Amino acid sequence: MRKQHLIYTDHTLEELKGVGPKSLQLLNELNIYTLEDLVLYLPTRYEDESVVNLNEANDGDVVTVTGEVYSSPTVAFFGRNKSKLTCHMMIDNIAVKITFFNQPYLKKRLVMGETVTVKGKWEQKKQVITGQKVMAEKEDGGNALTPIYRLKEGLKQKQLNKYIEQSLNLVDIDEWLSPELMQKYKLMSLKDVIPILHKPVKFEHLKLARRTFSFNELFLFQLKMKWLSKLEKESNKIEGLKYDVNDVKSFIDTLPFELTDAQKNSVNEIFRDLKAPIKMHRLLQGDVGSGKTVVAAIAIYAMYNAGKQSALMVPTAILAEQHAISLDELFGGKLNVALLTSSVKGKKRKILLEQLEAGEIDIIVGTHALIQDDVAFQNIGLVIIDEQHRFGVNQRKKLREKGADTNVLFMTATPIPRTLSISAFGEMDVTSIKQMPKGRKEIMTSWAKHDEIDNVLNKLNSEIVKGRQAYVICPLIEESEALDVQNVVAIYEQLQLRFGSEKVGLVHGKMHADEKDDIMNRFSNNEIAILVSTTVVEVGVNVPNATFMVIYDADRFGLSTLHQLRGRVGRSHHQSYCTLVASPKTESGVERMHIMTESTDGFYLSERDLEMRGPGDFFGVKQSGLPDFRVANIVEDYRMLEVARDEASELVQSGEFFKPQYDKLRMLVQESIEEQNFD
């Protein structure tokens, strides 16, 4: 079967005029190995070189202007290979001095009495333009938009432009979309789009070309997601779960609190999945403290009622211990809850594994220790993975494969923006808990500058005096000359002097796991009043007595990370506080501080975080599961993403996608699926 491409050609890069061994190596370093790669190597941005009226330009603008040269240019040489070219021009009735540095050859193009177009930085007060280049005369009104490509040292923009221009004459460009879809959304042909993206003449043309290419990318990606979802459901056919509904309702009635409406809805969605004749593949997301664990516990109880085992995998040993204790309390000793972490060894581990395989353990809670080869279940029906983005694809897959009829529930306290949930998580169902339990007090968040730290520590002390505990978070482990930020060791030593060494503990990522767990346990048991830490506490510690948090250099963190850190307090009926200590030097840093003090809604904050940082930084590019779109931007093109999803869903679900007219597109999507690992 011939591999499907968007672009077809029998020619190679080596055939291009000007491409030798050195330039070929530079192209390869940009991941350009074929003419298809080169033609699809699109500009990262465009410089608008439209001629402007100098009277309307602002001081400091880079402008393209046209005027008459009224003084002969002079060149002064100084230092080694350094020069300054000066001439005067009359531009829009303004007498302007033009200077070019280290471009003496431009003297020939600046002839007195002639009209020329120059580009440079306008210094209004001095009436000077520091020139960048003298513009060449252009045909058909001029190409005002200049494409800018990402380059390697040794490769010039002009050079790459020539290679691409040659390539466009040597390739055939195919279409991904059907004529009906192109007509419906008034899209251009890709044969016209790609040349325009490389050499736009008018902004309107570029806008339409980018819109068309973006829709193509998003539609292809959503087709992949929808087909994956269909394949997953077809290959995951199992017998629906049979359980005693009344017994499960009785268990819910025994809970020490009433479920919120959001929790009830989440339980209903999960149980619909469990009763269906296909494996569950659902993401349960909710803010810190929204009650995800209780929802998971109800699903675990239904499994127990149906005679099946469950497993809960979490990122840290201390979190595993806390989950095991809280589940045991919720089940009131009715279910056999076991804990498996790397610290469970020898005979104890051997007995536990034997009980698990014999079906004597109903729910096992653990870390990555659960995915070891010797961990076997008698009849596992449900796998729950908490903070799933902290585990690798293979780790999650290993646990899911412990049983043939395994339903999977992913949980996260990092609310995923809607944009990402229909793209990165497009192949799984998403349930959101957006309501907090009754009686939970909102964390009071404030922002203080570094010179106000004494006041902050006085407030911290007032909580310690009441018998409460506090977290102090720092971004760095050790001092860094490159960064003007507080480091965790220095802060730890300062707080020991202020509050007493016995009251202050320290944890950071470089500590040995056993040492870290010991400190965390002592903090959990209120043997330590103040825990100084890096972001290792971001996920997973439940210390209801902790009511105060200080985050040093808070402007160095994203909104989602700050919100996760803040969620370590506010876990009891006591009022909790979070103080952000920061003296931000950027507008975005100031904006993040304002946003954090104004909102405690994790879903709102995740949307703002995505807007400010972009999808690649939200999870990290590799973790996000998002392809590296050439033109499309899932934040800016969100409405288009939804349309592409709906069209892809209709095409797959109606069966049209599997008819002969879509053979080429289907093969293209299939190859894309085979090339990428999806979990």
Side-chain angles (χ1 to χ4, degrees), residues 483-578:
L483 296 166
D484 181 25
V485 294
Q486 299 293 322
N487 72 84
V488 74
V489 177
I491 296 294
Y492 168 63
E493 289 168 355
Q494 288 168 23
L495 293 177
Q496 278 188 316
L497 287 172
R498 184 165 183 144
F499 295 101
S501 56
E502 72 288 345
K503 285 188 176 180
V504 188
L506 170 68
V507 289
H508 57 71
K510 286 188 178 178
M511 291 170 71
H512 191 274
D514 291 345
E515 188 183 0
K516 206 187 317 181
D517 287 346
D518 177 57
I519 298 290
M520 297 298 279
N521 281 321
R522 286 172 61 201
F523 185 65
S524 296
N525 297 330
N526 202 3
E527 295 167 27
I528 292 170
I530 302 167
L531 183 68
V532 184
S533 170
T534 52
T535 55
V536 293
V537 300
E538 181 188 344
V539 169
V541 225
N542 184 27
V543 183
N545 192 48
T547 57
F548 202 92
M549 174 169 281
V550 181
I551 305 176
Y552 275 87
D553 300 297
D555 55 314
R556 291 186 53 78
F557 299 110
L559 292 173
S560 290
T561 301
L562 288 171
H563 184 61
Q564 288 302 303
L565 289 167
R566 176 169 62 184
R568 297 303 104 209
V569 296
R571 292 169 165 258
S572 67
H573 61 280
H574 299 300
Q575 180 61 58
S576 286
Y577 308 88
C578 177

Side-chain angles (χ1 to χ4, degrees), residues 216-229:
N216 272 270
E217 287 191 292
L218 295 172
F219 179 67
L220 199 71
F221 177 64
Q222 286 297 334
L223 267 180
K224 185 194 297 183
M225 290 286 99
K226 296 303 169 188
W227 196 7
L228 272 170
S229 182

Side-chain angles (χ1 to χ4, degrees), residues 516-654:
K516 206 187 317 181
D517 287 346
D518 177 57
I519 298 290
M520 297 298 279
N521 281 321
R522 286 172 61 201
F523 185 65
S524 296
N525 297 330
N526 202 3
E527 295 167 27
I528 292 170
I530 302 167
L531 183 68
V532 184
S533 170
T534 52
T535 55
V536 293
V537 300
E538 181 188 344
V539 169
V541 225
N542 184 27
V543 183
N545 192 48
T547 57
F548 202 92
M549 174 169 281
V550 181
I551 305 176
Y552 275 87
D553 300 297
D555 55 314
R556 291 186 53 78
F557 299 110
L559 292 173
S560 290
T561 301
L562 288 171
H563 184 61
Q564 288 302 303
L565 289 167
R566 176 169 62 184
R568 297 303 104 209
V569 296
R571 292 169 165 258
S572 67
H573 61 280
H574 299 300
Q575 180 61 58
S576 286
Y577 308 88
C578 177
T579 301
L580 310 170
V581 180
S583 303
K585 295 180 175 68
T586 64
E587 284 183 22
S588 66
V590 172
E591 189 179 1
R592 282 200 303 278
M593 297 306 98
H594 284 308
I595 292 168
M596 283 299 296
T597 56
E598 288 163 8
S599 178
T600 55
D601 181 345
F603 287 89
Y604 167 75
L605 292 171
S606 72
E607 295 286 353
R608 293 303 308 270
D609 202 19
L610 181 65
E611 284 171 25
M612 293 178 81
R613 293 200 292 161
D617 288 336
F618 190 82
F619 286 125
V621 174
K622 288 183 182 175
Q623 286 177 318
S624 73
L626 285 168
D628 191 9
F629 294 122
R630 286 182 167 88
V631 175
N633 180 308
I634 64 164
V635 180
E636 293 171 10
D637 301 324
Y638 173 57
R639 290 177 72 86
M640 191 186 291
L641 176 68
E642 286 194 310
V643 171
R645 178 197 59 183
D646 294 342
E647 290 290 351
S649 185
E650 173 64 25
L651 196 61
V652 172
Q653 287 174 13
S654 68

Side-chain angles (χ1 to χ4, degrees), residues 242-293:
K242 291 182 173 61
Y243 58 92
D244 184 336
V245 178
N246 292 326
D247 188 34
V248 174
K249 284 181 178 175
S250 297
F251 166 66
I252 293 172
D253 290 340
T254 66
L255 294 172
F257 39 76
E258 188 183 346
L259 296 181
T260 63
D261 289 341
Q263 285 174 314
K264 289 173 186 174
N265 290 337
S266 301
V267 169
N268 289 336
E269 287 182 8
I270 289 166
F271 274 60
R272 268 198 299 272
D273 285 356
L274 295 178
K275 287 188 282 187
I278 53 171
K279 293 180 188 176
M280 176 170 71
H281 193 61
R282 184 170 288 278
L283 173 69
L284 175 63
Q285 60 171 351
D287 233 331
V288 174
S290 61
K292 296 180 298 296
T293 308

Side-chain angles (χ1 to χ4, degrees), residues 79-97:
R80 192 177 174 183
N81 299 323
K82 291 182 179 178
S83 67
K84 181 181 178 182
L85 185 156
T86 308
C87 76
H88 293 82
M89 290 176 64
M90 185 62 70
I91 302 169
D92 300 319
N93 295 318
I94 303 171
V96 180
K97 181 181 177 183

